[in-house]
Amino acid sequence: MLKAVIFDLDGVIVSTDIYHYEAWKALTDRKGLEFNFEINDRLRGISRAESLQIILDVNQKTIGQREFNRIAGAKNRRYRRLLGKLKPEDMLPGVKDLIADLRQSGIKTAVGSSSRNTPKILKRLKLTKAFDAVVDGNAGLKSKPDPAIFLACAVALGEAPESCLVIEDAEAGIAAAKAAGMTALGVGKTPLSSADRMLASLLGENAAKLAAIHDAAKRTAKG
Ligand code: BG6
Ligand code: MG
């Protein structure tokens, strides 16, 4: 039975893709490194440091630790300035109503994100108190696809992993959910091959529908 829903943040609650893109693009242009939307898509769900490593690998470039930290820090400062534009209306379609319906139905909610900027984003969206638990990149856990962030959410919520459904927009996040023993709902335009179910958006979703998705995924897993 579904007891808790764990939301990924970037790409599920709000789309920050373009801000990540703009911030990385400014830095990579300055450094003469190639960066485009296709590379940006590959960074979904991946931590900041791992993202920079992917960009360097694509460019077959090696740099020292100091320079690495300097670029990652400059990217984040620029990204945080862009996050200042976020407003509650930027929440993705259906998210606000879904959170409210889950609460009313007695299903617990959490945010499980690799982002260290989670507190700032939740504040901009006026969602700081909307969830029963938040576990993010500041927790010092291994990032997705490792299940650590989602397992920590289950512990914080006091629920067994098998009673949790994760909503994710990235392959790394779906893999993390499955590794945690949770059911995984993929959202967005990018097809996620390991998701138990894929939806274009959360518009019109509610607690009953998510419980049905969770139960169907469990039956398939047993079947
Ligand atoms: C994830 C994003 O939520 O957070 C990634 O999908 C990002 O693209 C990661 O790299 C880390 O974010 P931050 O805010 O800590 O740089
Ligand atoms: Mg995401």
Side-chain angles (χ1 to χ4, degrees):
M1 206 172 105
L2 181 66
K3 297 276 184 61
V5 173
I6 304 172
F7 291 78
D8 172 45
L9 178 65
D10 295 295
V12 170
I13 292 176
V14 62
S15 180
T16 47
D17 264 11
I18 192 67
Y19 298 146
H20 279 295
Y21 173 81
E22 280 180 29
W24 281 126
K25 184 72 181 151
L27 264 294
T28 49
D29 277 357
R30 203 187 289 167
K31 295 280 159 198
L33 296 170
E34 189 196 341
F35 187 72
N36 53 38
F37 285 109
E38 192 266 320
I39 302 172
N40 197 52
D41 283 351
R42 287 173 50 193
L43 310 181
R44 280 200 197 122
I46 308 286
S47 74
R48 196 181 313 153
E50 286 164 327
S51 299
L52 178 51
Q53 194 54 57
I54 289 173
I55 295 169
L56 293 169
D57 289 348
V58 168
N59 283 274
Q60 296 180 332
K61 175 129 180 141
T62 320
I63 57 174
Q65 192 60 48
R66 261 182 163 205
E67 176 74 344
F68 188 99
N69 294 345
R70 214 190 55 74
I71 297 177
K75 183 268 174 178
N76 195 48
R77 280 192 296 281
R78 193 171 270 267
Y79 177 60
R80 284 179 71 85
R81 275 205 298 280
L82 295 168
L83 288 180
K85 296 185 197 174
L86 276 184
K87 306 177 290 307
E89 302 83 72
D90 292 324
M91 233 181 285
L92 285 167
V95 171
K96 200 173 174 201
D97 289 346
L98 176 57
I99 297 169
D101 192 59
L102 289 167
R103 171 141 295 182
Q104 225 178 2
S105 309
I107 294 178
K108 294 175 187 169
T109 57
V111 170
S113 170
S114 305
S115 172
R116 300 180 70 175
N117 291 299
T118 299
K120 179 169 177 113
I121 296 174
L122 291 180
K123 193 170 175 198
R124 295 293 316 166
L125 300 177
K126 298 207 186 327
L127 286 178
T128 302
K129 294 190 179 134
F131 298 92
D132 298 304
V134 175
V135 178
D136 61 32
N138 300 298
L141 299 167
K142 279 194 181 164
S143 48
K144 304 169 190 177
D146 193 280
I149 290 176
F150 292 144
L151 289 173
C153 286
V155 170
L157 294 171
E159 298 295 348
E162 51 269 30
S163 306
C164 300
L165 170 92
V166 169
I167 310 180
E168 262 289 348
D169 71 314
E171 208 73 74
I174 297 287
K178 303 306 289 179
M182 301 175 178
T183 56
L185 169 61
V187 281
K189 288 188 204 128
T190 315
L192 302 166
S193 53
S194 326
D196 292 306
R197 178 80 188 272
M198 209 50 228
L199 292 173
S201 86
L202 292 173
L203 192 62
E205 293 309 308
N206 57 33
K209 287 185 185 177
L210 293 198
I213 290 172
H214 179 77
D215 290 346
K218 290 267 168 210
R219 279 197 301 275
T220 311
K222 270 193 200 142

